[in-house]
Amino acid sequence: EEQDLTEGRACSAPGWLAPYQGKYEIPESAPDALQNQQILAGMVDAGASAVAVEISDESLLKGHIDSVNVDIIVFTNSPRMTAANNGSEDNDDEDQETSTSASSGDDEEKADTEEKVNEGEGEKEEDAFETSYESNLTEEEVQSWRERSLAFISSLDDPKHQRVVVNLDDDFASEIISNCKVPVVTYARRREHRDIADVYCERVDLSLFETAVLVSTPVGETEIVTALVGDANVSNVLASIASGLATEIPLENIAQGL
């Protein structure tokens, strides 16, 4: 019987997975900078030794995570403007027809890719998945998001205790890495990054009930089988492995934890 590494471990997540037991109330909207400090302090008072925080676009732009001292930043992906915010809704009929045709071509390419995976070849097309995500941000806000992200990244300056984990497949990754003052651990799915990524997805097997991912790392290969289904969770698995390696957790323990 495999050892349960989480046995006896207490965990709380405000508003998400389990009741929060801290002494401060959790706001319905994203907590501001002061509220974040209060919530984190309440977790420490309750005996918490580690916390994972998902930083939204709003929280970053409004400075909600200012003065939060972190050990690891995991850069997953960057936002892009929606078609409406980019002014595309004003395009003429010809532009719309061109866009439709391009979309149809993408669907055909995606179908070809899915067919290859179903045949068991286990190969991935480089552009079969998108890393950046559509947001409601304007062009100015996207630029501000990038500037604040780089400032947040460059605020980490303790190479002994701090790390940055970066998704190499995102177009903003190179700028993130160039602004790092601490060691970087990278992960990727695109074939072009296979030889340079620390954590790379060699093969993916998707089903209705589980996701199996074969991953190569500097300390060996491992296969992760998780109940998290869907292609989007493959990158989440890679990010988790990279984060574990960044904190020098043995690969075997990481695999068991996932």
Side-chain angles (χ1 to χ4, degrees):
E1 184 178 355
E2 294 184 0
Q3 178 186 4
D4 183 1
L5 299 178
T6 64
E7 185 177 2
R9 181 184 301 171
C11 177
S12 67
W16 291 95
L17 302 177
Y20 170 63
Q21 300 299 327
K23 61 182 179 180
Y24 297 100
E25 293 185 1
I26 303 297
E28 294 184 2
S29 58
D32 59 27
L34 177 59
Q35 290 169 328
N36 270 324
Q37 295 289 341
Q38 291 174 329
I39 294 169
L40 292 173
M43 291 180 175
V44 172
D45 290 343
S49 58
V51 60
V53 179
E54 182 178 1
I55 303 173
S56 65
D57 297 339
E58 176 187 7
S59 294
L60 185 63
L61 288 171
K62 293 185 177 181
H64 291 175
I65 47 89
D66 289 356
S67 301
V68 175
N69 185 24
V70 302
D71 293 320
I72 299 177
I73 293 178
V74 182
F75 171 73
T76 55
N77 50 9
S78 59
R80 65 179 186 275
M81 291 179 295
T82 60
N85 286 346
N86 200 24
S88 298
E89 58 184 8
D90 296 330
N91 290 348
D92 54 27
D93 293 339
E94 181 179 353
D95 290 338
Q96 293 178 10
E97 290 177 1
T98 302
S99 176
T100 303
S101 299
S103 177
S104 298
D106 290 342
D107 290 342
E108 292 175 1
E109 182 178 352
K110 182 178 180 180
D112 291 340
T113 302
E114 291 176 348
E115 182 179 350
K116 289 181 179 179
V117 174
N118 290 336
E119 289 173 356
E121 295 179 9
E123 295 182 1
K124 306 181 296 298
E125 292 293 330
E126 289 185 357
D127 299 319
F129 44 84
E130 181 63 61
T131 55
S132 61
Y133 58 92
E134 283 195 349
S135 69
N136 294 321
L137 302 181
T138 64
E139 182 178 1
E140 292 77 12
E141 287 173 331
V142 169
Q143 181 59 34
S144 178
W145 182 96
R146 288 174 170 253
E147 292 172 357
R148 281 187 167 270
S149 294
L150 294 178
F152 188 33
I153 291 290
S154 61
S155 70
L156 273 62
D157 56 5
D158 184 354
K160 186 175 181 180
H161 298 103
Q162 295 177 315
R163 299 288 184 271
V164 175
V165 175
V166 179
N167 178 8
L168 280 182
D169 294 332
D170 193 272
D171 294 336
F172 195 45
S174 59
E175 291 188 60
I176 291 288
I177 294 174
S178 64
N179 280 268
C180 289
K181 302 174 185 175
V182 298
V184 176
V185 179
T186 60
Y187 67 93
R189 295 184 63 184
R190 295 186 188 274
R191 286 195 300 270
E192 64 188 272
H193 298 140
R194 181 178 187 180
D195 295 331
I196 58 177
D198 296 306
V199 177
Y200 179 75
C201 175
E202 298 286 354
R203 188 184 70 246
V204 177
D205 293 317
L206 302 173
S207 75
L208 293 175
F209 308 102
E210 63 183 22
T211 302
V213 187
L214 180 63
V215 182
S216 61
T217 78
V219 294
E221 286 191 349
T222 186
E223 183 173 32
I224 304 297
V225 180
T226 174
L228 299 174
V229 297
D231 189 72
N233 280 308
V234 175
S235 290
N236 292 334
V237 168
L238 298 179
S240 299
I241 295 173
S243 300
L245 294 177
T247 55
E248 300 182 354
I249 297 176
L251 185 60
E252 179 182 359
N253 291 15
I254 297 173
Q256 291 178 354
L258 292 174

